[in-house]
Amino acid sequence: MNIILLGPPGAGKGTQAQKLVAERGMIQLSTGDMLREARSSGTEMGKIVADVMDRGDLVTDEIVIGLIEEKLNGPQGGGFIFDGFPRTLAQADALEALLRKVGQSLAAVIEMRVDDEALVARITARSTCADCGAVYNDRTRPIPADGKCENCGGTEFTRRADDNEESLRQRLMEYYKKTSPLIGYYHAKGKLHPIDGLADIDTVSGEIKAVLDKA
Ligand code: ADP
Ligand code: ADP
Ligand code: ZN
């Protein structure tokens, strides 16, 4: 089963995708993670996108569609979780065509609704395990007292360069201008399932599970 987690920066897409990977053997496809990896490994593409990402603008459709296409041709596991992709109507159309090409389809689009104030609070408190990418939060999901990642035991945690208030404002603007039209797009296709992303992490997981069990 292939699903999209749709929502503004900080809505909890990565957190929920990691849980689905652990519980259902699904494969998380986060274009944000792929782009950050390209940056840190110093590839040509990584250099091109670094400034764009730090400003909070969207990377070109061509680049992210290329990244996704590569993954769709790899192992399919228990299905794909598209996390942070698609972010434009052009990406949504491309995804549909790519899925069709590999004989797959989209089961559901989960729209995680969270208000702007909560997003700012969440993002400025976010950190990530440098080894496995597990997502933490100073307030709502603190790093364990022994300083070790619950998932992999790693001891190094990083904060993203774009997780500051100024860049976040720009990312939110991009979301409302370019990504939110996807809500109407998937509603029209009968695929949209809005859920309350403001609830605590386990409650949100329960709502997602309820949607997937019916899809
Ligand atoms: P968040 O977790 O805040 O939603 P991501 O990690 O998904 O952010 O993305 C970080 C940055 O990477 C975005 O601000 C954008 O510059 C770039 N990016 C990620 N996915 C896409 C995409 N599908 N299309 C365009 N740019 C993207
Ligand atoms: P996204 O991938 O949509 O940008 P993340 O999963 O990285 O969002 O979550 C953003 C921040 O909010 C992280 O610090 C995460 O620990 C925290 N978080 C995620 N889901 C919730 C939730 N339901 N309630 C409170 N905090 C949350
Ligand atoms: Zn870890």
Side-chain angles (χ1 to χ4, degrees), residues 8-15 122 126 135-137 140 197 199-201 204:
K13 303 180 296 293
T15 299
R122 281 187 187 182
R126 167 161 66 182
V135 183
Y136 290 92
N137 188 282
T140 59
D200 63 55
I201 291 173
V204 174

Side-chain angles (χ1 to χ4, degrees), residues 83-163:
D83 161 12
F85 178 93
R87 264 173 151 99
T88 62
L89 289 167
Q91 291 177 24
D93 283 334
L95 176 60
E96 200 164 290
L98 287 173
L99 282 172
R100 203 177 313 122
K101 233 164 77 181
V102 294
Q104 294 279 339
S105 62
L106 202 57
V109 178
I110 296 176
E111 184 208 347
M112 304 176 69
R113 294 196 171 160
V114 178
D115 60 52
D116 288 3
E117 251 168 84
L119 295 175
V120 177
R122 281 187 187 182
I123 289 236
T124 50
R126 167 161 66 182
S127 64
T128 310
C129 171
D131 290 327
C132 77
V135 183
Y136 290 92
N137 188 282
D138 301 342
R139 280 184 291 271
T140 59
R141 197 194 168 205
I143 294 162
D146 63 2
K148 290 188 181 150
C149 172
E150 328 182 324
N151 186 42
C152 75
T155 53
E156 201 192 320
F157 301 89
T158 56
R159 290 192 195 266
R160 280 168 45 176
D162 57 345
D163 274 354

Side-chain angles (χ1 to χ4, degrees), residues 53-75:
M53 291 176 80
D54 287 346
R55 272 202 308 274
D57 290 338
L58 289 187
V59 170
T60 62
D61 290 334
E62 198 189 357
I63 288 178
V64 292
I65 291 166
L67 289 170
I68 289 286
E69 181 168 19
E70 231 171 88
K71 301 286 181 185
L72 291 188
N73 290 318

Side-chain angles (χ1 to χ4, degrees), residues 167-199:
S167 169
L168 176 61
R169 293 283 164 208
Q170 179 59 19
R171 281 150 68 200
L172 277 175
M173 191 57 82
E174 291 282 86
Y175 179 79
Y176 292 121
K177 277 199 298 201
K178 297 175 185 164
T179 308
S180 67
L182 298 184
I183 296 170
Y185 175 92
Y186 287 118
H187 171 72
K189 288 180 177 287
K191 299 250 158 106
L192 192 75
H193 301 269
I195 64 165
D196 176 16
L198 277 173

Side-chain angles (χ1 to χ4, degrees), residues 6-22:
L6 181 65
K13 303 180 296 293
T15 299
Q16 296 299 331
Q18 288 173 1
K19 286 171 83 81
L20 290 167
V21 168

